Amino acid sequence: MTTTSTDPGPAPAPRTRSWQAWGWEDSAASTEQTARLASALAGRFGIEPPVAEEPVALADVTLRVPRIAPPDTLAHLCSTEHRDRAAHTYGRSYRDTVRLLRGDLPHPPDLVAHPADEDDVVRLLDWCGSAGIAVIPFGGGSSVVGGVEAAIGDAAPGVVSLDLTRLDRVVDIDRVSRAARIQAGALGPVLEGQLRPHGLTLRHFPQSFEFSTLGGWLATRAGGHFATVYTHIDDLCESLRVVTPTGVAESRRLPGSGAGPSPDRLFLGSEGTLGVITEAWMRLQDRPRWKASAGVEFPDLGSGASAVRALAQSGLFPVNCRLLDAGEAMLSATLSPGAGALLVLGFESADHSVDVAMARALELCGDHGGTLPAPPSSTDSGVPGASAEGGGDSAGRAGRDGAAGEWRNSFLRAPYTRDALVRLGIICETFETACTWDRFTELHAAVTTAVEDALARICGAGWVTCRFTHAYPDGVAPYFSVLAPGRRRSELAQWAEIKAAASDALLAAGGTITHHHAVGRDHRPWYDRQRPDVFASALRAAKSAVDPAGIMNPGVLIG
Ligand SMILES: Cc1cc2nc3c(=O)[nH]c(=O)nc-3n(C[C@H](O)[C@H](O)[C@H](O)COP(=O)(O)OP(=O)(O)OC[C@H]3O[C@@H](n4cnc5c(N)ncnc54)[C@H](O)[C@@H]3O)c2cc1C
């Protein structure tokens, strides 16, 4: 008997997640890719091609000695291992990435706790509560707003980073109501992998999907990459279970309820300040079978925006409706000469063909000056639940070709590219907001001007681009990206000035300080200006009721 035809060969080597940069170590930009990026930037900014800075090795990073030790009963759940503490020190914002690159980690957590179940979470919180130790819930650690950083000053004698990723199971599926009870530490692919055999999907695909968790999404009110209707995690949440320092809060499973203010809405977006979300019943969807996608070009951003408004108000609800200005399109997709904006448009359904919806959407685009450089693509997998979504997209073949496909590939690679840019000394920040349609034109102009002025003043050059991430009948969520040549070792001071200029301009123009990236520590000054004072008092009162010792993520959101 021969075994050669079925021999699977050696098992692939396990992949290692970087403690220092985005994602998998083996997916980082190569030396050649980084060099190509350097010469492109040199051309763009009129500078010498920058040289990539070598990341500090983990062995050369000094961490403060842990100031606390767990009781014997919890010691098996707690780690003081060097790599573990370093990997739980920051999230993955631009600022975090610069500090990690240089091994600048003055505030590591004293311990990293890895609870295996909810009882462990309760026992850890009891210990921390009685000793006044701060607790920072940690999901995937993809926060871009300083949400998991243990820089709490003297608010507590020590800090525990509570890593929830061992709570990663889909515990129960209710096929009739199409919902599932899912543990909060499940990373995107882990969660989807357990739903797939049932032909179901949560269909929540933030760009950070691969390295962020259900609990993190709920705690930050994350936005998936779909543009309309079921895209916000809030709307997919049926009920929540939260361990607070004073007890467990579990809401009733209901499709809707008018019984007073919603308990779920108190904890959604609470960013680890009120308790630890341990599991949630989530509304699911059947996996899509019919898909259609198109790239529509517009003469300028304004005409593209009018088309997106018409689409958002049409009741067609495209899943993808991402308008890219010319700069964004240059970075991530193709645009015909003379075109000023690209709309990546997509529809999908598990129930019916979407060709009619696409045809009507294209008519609306045509009314606003949109043209189609290539015909739309559409697919019917023929098999319910057969199509793949893969890391943040559910577009099957439709959506993987042409401009839509180019945009998708670049979207998935973007976090790795950002790490390379940081090594090249380039300041690269993104900031996102939302405003009503009546304010969009003014907000876009004011923010672009404010940031361009800041870049010219602070960096001598720079580039601001804009795309839409979400579209609503009454407004839109513009997402700005900034690239500028930084001064080595001064980048963070330069970044802070640019960030402040952008944030001030957003607020002054009537936008929100964040549409889906959350508040964390970085957005606090602007959040404090945005939210009503009476609401802040109510939130503080709620916090002191569930967290009387103030141990939960001090400094974030409130407190
Ligand atoms: C490259 C990149 C792309 C991104 N794309 C998107 C995007 O498309 N859409 C979007 O919305 N965001 C995006 N983000 C931001 C980030 O991924 C989200 O905020 C995400 O929801 C965080 O999930 P996490 O599991 O990584 O949470 P973490 O970063 O670990 O934590 C975030 C916050 O939630 C709290 N928290 C985490 N888990 C729990 C829990 N179980 N209970 C209570 N509190 C908890 C933490 O204390 C912290 O305050 C992106 C970030 C990066 C780096």
Side-chain angles (χ1 to χ4, degrees), residues 137 139-143 147 164 206-208 213 216-217 219-220 222-223 271-272 277 516 553:
S142 68
S143 169
L164 290 147
Q207 189 185 29
S208 54
T213 61
W217 301 338
T220 60
E271 301 190 30
I277 299 166
H516 55 267
N553 216 353

Side-chain angles (χ1 to χ4, degrees), residues 1 26 72 82 103 108 180 185 204 212 245 269 300 309 375 379 460 465 514 522 532:
M1 191 174 92
D26 61 13
D72 290 349
H82 190 66
H204 180 74
S212 55
D300 49 43
R309 178 161 61 86
T379 55
T465 61
T514 175
D522 296 357

Side-chain angles (χ1 to χ4, degrees), residues 224-244:
H225 97 143
F226 294 122
T228 64
V229 286
Y230 305 113
T231 185
H232 288 282
I233 202 71
D234 322 26
D235 299 330
L236 307 178
C237 178
E238 193 177 73
S239 81
L240 275 182
R241 193 170 158 89
V242 186
V243 175
T244 77

